[in-house]
Amino acid sequence: MSPTGTKRRKSAPPTAFERACKQPLMLGLFMPHQEGAWSPSKAPRKTSWDFEYNAKCARKADRLGFDILFALAQWMGKGGYGGDINFRENTLDPFITSAGLAPITKNALLIATVHILYGWHPLHLAKYGAVIDHMSGGRWGLNVVTGYKESEFRMFGLKPIEHDQRYAMASEFTTIMRRLWSEDEELTFKGKWWQTEGAYVAPKPVNRSVVMVNAGSSPAGIDYATDHSDIIFVTSPGGADPVDACRTLPTHIKKIRQSARAKRRRIKIMINPHVICRETEKAARAQYQRILDQRDQVAVDNFVATFMGGDQSSWKGHSPDNWAVGGNVHLVGTPEQIVDWFIKLKRAGCDGMQINFYDFLPDLDFFGKRVMPLLHQAGLRIDAE
């Protein structure tokens, strides 16, 4: 089956998503599209938000066999989250960047995050997404986000929208978009929020659909995600400590899977660990402490306040130290210990890891040399067909 359950010819080669689903543990790279990446810290690193650096990360991850390349989208004011580092002031847009990465990667899914309620019409995104999907050879996907920051809505001259209404709007938007991708006739649709008359998209996406992603964790968010998404990102209800994550994730994930099963939909569930891996646990712990000790406290405080002040449901169980390091679960240790934590998170219900690092290129290189072979040995990764 292709994304969203569309039937494909038996003779057709497997899609990038189908190849990813065959892996015992899916692997994604959370790209450093934003200044400071995931960690509002002044500890030394060479990670950059610019396109050249991200392209190097993408090519390296693609060569290593990562299944997904993915980035968040943000609309920041002057200075970003502030502090000495102006955390996240400069950010690449992942929708535009996915087009740039399409011709320089070969196998990985390119997932673009789009705030669909910030002035988009479904016809725009259906057309543009189909074009990028062709540019990538059928490897493009869409992470639908509705936005929750009042400041972002106001940037676009919009009033903030109530939480559950945002997901109702997202459902209508997605329904129109998917029909434009899959149907061969012109579409006339009279919805509550969007209308179109005689709309048509050609070319269609390579597989007449694309991989759909969402990270909803509220009841309304989960309902949307299990209606429309192929991959659902979860956050640890217990915070960033992996022991607490493995303890609290099964109940949360069970709820999501039950919702998907009731709708007869197959989904994959991924989580976002920040991986700090060194040859010795002492060295890994020392790096973790450097990030904490050299955190930009003003940036951390502003970062936390923004998330805690909104009506989104994710990340509520995380402490300020969690935010200083970044990522949803902190995995710190030797290559063997990192693989062991991957196994435990898989047993907790996660089908894949969407990884971020502190110093991306050297950390990704070390991961490829030391962790990937162990993942194969553990049976978590298999050679691509």
Side-chain angles (χ1 to χ4, degrees):
M1 300 289 281
S2 64
T4 69
T6 304
K7 290 184 178 179
R8 301 172 60 251
R9 299 189 311 274
K10 290 183 179 180
S11 60
T15 67
F17 182 60
E18 288 169 338
R19 291 195 301 270
C21 289
K22 290 180 180 179
Q23 290 291 345
L25 186 75
M26 297 170 66
L27 281 182
L29 181 67
F30 240 136
M31 305 281 283
H33 275 28
Q34 58 280 359
E35 191 167 10
W38 301 92
S39 312
S41 175
K42 294 181 275 189
R45 57 177 156 173
K46 294 183 179 180
T47 295
S48 173
W49 58 270
D50 67 30
F51 181 77
E52 181 180 1
Y53 188 91
N54 275 271
K56 289 178 180 178
C57 290
R59 286 193 293 261
K60 182 179 286 289
D62 195 41
R63 289 194 300 269
L64 289 173
F66 276 64
D67 304 299
I68 298 172
L69 301 173
F70 180 77
L72 59 76
Q74 290 193 293
W75 299 92
M76 301 297 298
K78 181 177 175 61
Y81 287 107
D84 294 334
I85 63 174
N86 286 336
F87 185 52
R88 293 189 173 178
E89 179 178 42
N90 286 298
T91 60
L92 294 179
D93 178 76
F95 179 71
I96 301 300
T97 304
S98 67
L101 295 178
I104 65 172
T105 55
K106 294 181 178 180
N107 299 303
L109 284 163
L110 305 172
I111 307 296
T113 301
V114 178
H115 289 86
I116 62 170
L117 303 185
Y118 294 172
W120 285 90
H121 189 282
L123 181 58
H124 282 125
L125 195 48
K127 177 64 175 182
Y128 301 157
V131 171
I132 303 176
D133 190 59
H134 275 264
M135 292 169 65
S136 69
R139 294 184 291 115
W140 188 77
L142 176 64
N143 175 38
V144 170
V145 291
T146 63
Y148 67 92
K149 298 179 184 178
E150 289 194 15
S151 61
E152 291 186 339
F153 278 97
R154 297 191 190 285
M155 278 188 181
F156 291 93
L158 302 170
K159 293 181 179 180
I161 302 170
E162 186 271 332
H163 179 277
D164 287 7
Q165 182 180 325
R166 296 199 302 265
Y167 281 105
M169 294 174 72
S171 185
E172 182 175 291
F173 188 105
T174 304
T175 296
I176 297 170
M177 190 167 54
R178 286 171 60 182
R179 288 186 63 182
L180 288 166
W181 283 332
S182 63
E183 296 180 9
D184 290 321
E185 301 301 325
E186 293 180 346
L187 175 66
T188 296
F189 189 100
K190 304 296 183 183
K192 184 175 181 179
W193 294 285
W194 286 278
Q195 295 80 41
T196 187
E197 183 175 344
Y200 189 70
V201 166
K204 307 295 184 187
V206 173
N207 299 297
R208 302 183 75 84
S209 185
V210 304
V211 176
M212 298 293 292
V213 181
N214 187 254
S217 57
S218 66
I222 291 172
D223 189 47
Y224 168 84
T226 53
D227 272 341
H228 297 288
S229 298
D230 303 295
I231 300 173
I232 299 174
F233 286 105
V234 296
T235 54
S236 162
D241 186 304
V243 174
D244 292 331
C246 290
R247 174 179 55 81
T248 57
L249 277 167
T251 300
H252 179 52
I253 291 174
K254 181 180 179 181
K255 179 172 56 177
I256 297 172
R257 291 200 189 278
Q258 285 176 335
S259 176
R261 279 196 297 269
K263 300 169 184 178
R264 297 184 178 180
R265 297 201 69 252
R266 290 180 292 178
I267 58 170
K268 290 292 184 179
I269 289 179
M270 300 186 74
I271 197 166
N272 164 221
H274 184 129
V275 173
I276 301 175
C277 187
R278 299 292 186 270
E279 289 291 356
T280 67
E281 183 177 1
K282 181 179 179 180
R285 292 288 172 190
Q287 171 63 7
Y288 181 84
Q289 197 60 47
R290 272 192 294 272
I291 297 170
L292 281 180
D293 291 345
Q294 298 184 55
R295 61 184 174 268
D296 189 321
Q297 195 61 56
V298 171
V300 172
D301 291 344
N302 291 335
F303 195 32
V304 173
T306 300
F307 277 82
M308 295 301 103
D311 62 3
Q312 54 85 38
S313 299
S314 304
W315 304 88
K316 296 294 188 182
H318 290 249
S319 72
D321 280 359
N322 296 168
W323 293 93
V325 175
N328 186 243
V329 178
H330 298 164
L331 304 184
V332 184
T334 65
E336 293 79 7
Q337 289 173 316
I338 297 302
V339 172
D340 188 51
W341 279 120
F342 281 7
I343 292 171
K344 291 175 180 176
L345 286 166
K346 179 177 171 62
R347 289 173 180 165
C350 299
D351 299 308
M353 306 291 129
Q354 188 72 23
I355 300 166
N356 66 271
F357 299 106
Y358 186 74
D359 200 2
F360 268 72
L361 280 175
D363 287 350
L364 178 59
D365 187 60
F366 185 80
F367 185 92
K369 290 177 180 177
R370 293 287 288 112
V371 179
M372 287 294 279
L374 297 179
L375 292 175
H376 281 266
Q377 291 176 24
L380 295 177
R381 299 288 295 175
I382 57 176
D383 291 332
E385 294 181 358

